[in-house]
Amino acid sequence: MRRSMMEILCCPICKGDLTLQAVEEDESEVREGTLFCAACRAGYPIHDGIPDLLPQKTE
């Protein structure tokens, strides 16, 4: 995921701003990490450069 994507991404649950917590990145993109929404406290993983923005199921 390119860092420039942060300008257009928002939380799919509450539409709040996301913060990026990068664990692994190279010169062009974030390879592993988490996108976090402070408003609703949801986290979205980034694996192999692909953010998973599907809301997690709660039972």
Side-chain angles (χ1 to χ4, degrees):
M1 182 190 105
R2 295 182 188 270
R3 284 187 173 269
S4 60
M5 294 279 298
M6 292 301 296
E7 297 173 14
I8 61 171
L9 292 177
C10 67
C11 177
I13 296 172
C14 73
K15 308 301 184 225
D17 291 333
L18 296 171
T19 57
L20 173 63
Q21 298 170 337
V23 174
E24 179 185 334
E25 59 186 307
D26 58 28
E27 62 279 346
S28 63
E29 67 179 4
V30 175
R31 304 289 301 151
E32 300 289 331
T34 303
L35 295 168
F36 181 73
C37 177
C40 68
R41 304 182 83 62
Y44 305 97
I46 302 169
H47 294 294
D48 292 325
I50 301 169
D52 180 357
L53 292 172
L54 294 174
Q56 302 298 312
K57 291 182 181 180
T58 55
E59 317 248 355

